[in-house]
Each structure stands twice: as C-alpha cells, then as structure tokens.
Amino acid sequence: AFASGRLCLPEGGADVLPELLAASLPAGTVHTGVRVTSVATNAVTTAEHGVIRCRAVLVATGARSAAELLPGLRVPDFHPVTVVHHTTDEPPATGGHLLLDSERGGPVAHTAVISAVDPSRAPAGRALVSSTVLGPDRAGVDDAVRRHLARLYGVSTARWETLAVHHTAEAVPAMRPPHDLRRPVRLLAGLYVCGDHRDTSTLQGALHSARRAAAAILGDLGTGRPMHTS
C-alpha cells in the first residue's frame, strides 16, 4: 500500500478512530478498563462486573490474549519491534514520505516525519520524527538510530530530542510459510475472534479479519432464529 499510495495516519493519533466509533454508540454501550476472565457463546465473565449476558461474543485482541480466553487457539511466533520518537525544530526536507533504507546500513527499517503528515502531533515550530527498528531490544538503540537517521536524512541529529523509545516484544505475528491468510473468525455460532493473527500480520489484516467477523455475526444474528437454546 505504501508503494502505490500515500502515507496515511489518523489525524490526532491512533486513539481517535476507536473514540469516534464509540461516540456514535448509545451512552453506556462501551466499557473500558474491564478485565475479562472468560467468554462463552452467550456470556462474558469479568473480574469487576460479574457475568454479562449477550447473544454473541467477539474476541478482538492480540493473539496471546485471545488464546487465554479461547483455549486451543494457535499462538504464533512474533517479530519484536522498537519505535523511537524524536523531536526537532529543524525537520528534514522529506515531507510526508516514508523513508526506507534499501541498503540496510543501520538499525532503522523505516522512518518518517510524522508531523508532516499530521501536524497535530507536534506543537508549532517542532517536528515529530518516528522510526521503526526490527528485532529484539538492544542497549544503546537511540544512539544507533540517531547515527542511522543522520545518514538517511542527510542532516545532523545531534540536537534532536528523544521523546520516547517503545519496545514491543510481540508486535507483529510472524507469517512463516505456509501462512493461512484467512484463518477462521467464526469458531461457533455466537463465538468469534479477529485480529492480525487471523489474516495478514498488518493493520489492514486486522481490519479485514474484523470485517469478516462482523459479517459472520450479522449472518448468524440475521437468521431469524435464536442463537442459543438457553
């Protein structure tokens, strides 16, 4: 998608999309900060609010959390990822393009001036540069990233301020061959699962699996017959 299109980000941050979706629902529909301990086709058991009865359950989590709620679900291997955020008052002149290092001359897989795509992510006069590093966590990653970014952007990064370094050990499910691009999302009538572990290991894959799961739920709910006998 990056090769044939343009870099696209939700304006205001990743939280905006779920917040917009939640805002369109009746008040009290969405509950956050609730820990689910078990699921069934007609109920969700929570640590804080007891049992919540329902007509269908969709487990929309990462692979490991999904497997904890759905025993027997496959847990894939994962690719670890580190994201390093810098800010500067002298942004590189690359605009909103995603910059790749085809020669792999350093730890950075790709980088972009994110505030050039979404100006709301940095205050006036500052730029936000976000860079992705593949592989396990390593000591001194920020220094190595700075050196690599200086070569990639052709500017000095000595005065760049490090805002945050986020390492996620289970960031992306591995797609080792043969990879099933369409793992089932309907486990039983009334019990469904979606996520990047059910499709391609991308945000697009996660959204596509959610669309498949939603279609399965609507198909089951639209049969005109009760989904459960008790």
Side-chain angles (χ1 to χ4, degrees):
F2 286 154
S4 60
R6 299 176 61 187
L7 184 59
C8 178
L9 294 169
E11 183 179 2
D15 292 342
V16 171
L17 181 56
E19 288 174 354
L20 288 174
L21 292 173
S24 67
L25 298 172
T29 300
V30 177
H31 299 274
T32 59
V34 178
R35 184 166 59 91
V36 175
T37 57
S38 67
V39 297
T41 58
N42 59 354
V44 174
T45 303
T46 71
E48 297 86 356
H49 302 285
V51 177
I52 301 173
R53 297 292 175 183
C54 56
R55 296 179 62 196
V57 173
L58 171 59
V59 177
T61 69
R64 192 170 300 282
S65 295
E68 291 174 357
L69 293 172
L70 302 168
L73 203 68
R74 171 183 173 272
V75 178
D77 295 329
F78 294 91
H79 294 301
V81 170
T82 301
V83 179
V84 184
H85 301 286
H86 292 102
T87 183
T88 174
D89 56 3
E90 298 178 350
T94 53
H97 296 285
L98 187 71
L99 188 61
L100 307 174
D101 183 6
S102 61
E103 298 179 354
R104 299 185 179 182
V108 176
H110 54 81
T111 179
V113 183
I114 298 298
S115 55
V117 182
D118 178 9
S120 70
R121 301 200 184 200
R126 304 291 293 181
L128 173 65
V129 181
S130 297
S131 309
T132 298
V133 177
L134 307 181
D137 196 11
R138 66 186 77 178
V141 64
D142 184 43
D143 291 338
V145 166
R146 283 173 179 270
R147 290 192 295 270
H148 195 189
L149 292 178
R151 295 197 301 272
L152 289 175
Y153 285 115
V155 300
S156 173
T157 59
R159 294 180 57 247
W160 287 17
E161 178 186 350
T162 303
L163 292 179
V165 178
H166 297 294
H167 178 75
T168 305
E170 298 185 351
V172 182
M175 296 175 57
R176 308 195 190 284
H179 181 76
D180 186 354
L181 297 177
R182 295 293 182 271
R183 293 188 180 278
V185 294
R186 182 184 187 272
L187 306 180
L188 296 168
L191 190 58
Y192 313 84
V193 60
C194 68
D196 56 5
H197 50 98
R198 313 309 294 170
D199 210 280
T200 57
S201 300
T202 62
L203 289 175
Q204 183 177 354
L207 292 171
H208 190 266
S209 75
R211 185 182 182 90
R212 291 194 289 127
I217 294 170
L218 291 174
D220 285 339
L221 292 178
T223 61
R225 300 189 304 272
M227 295 180 64
H228 310 292
T229 57
S230 62

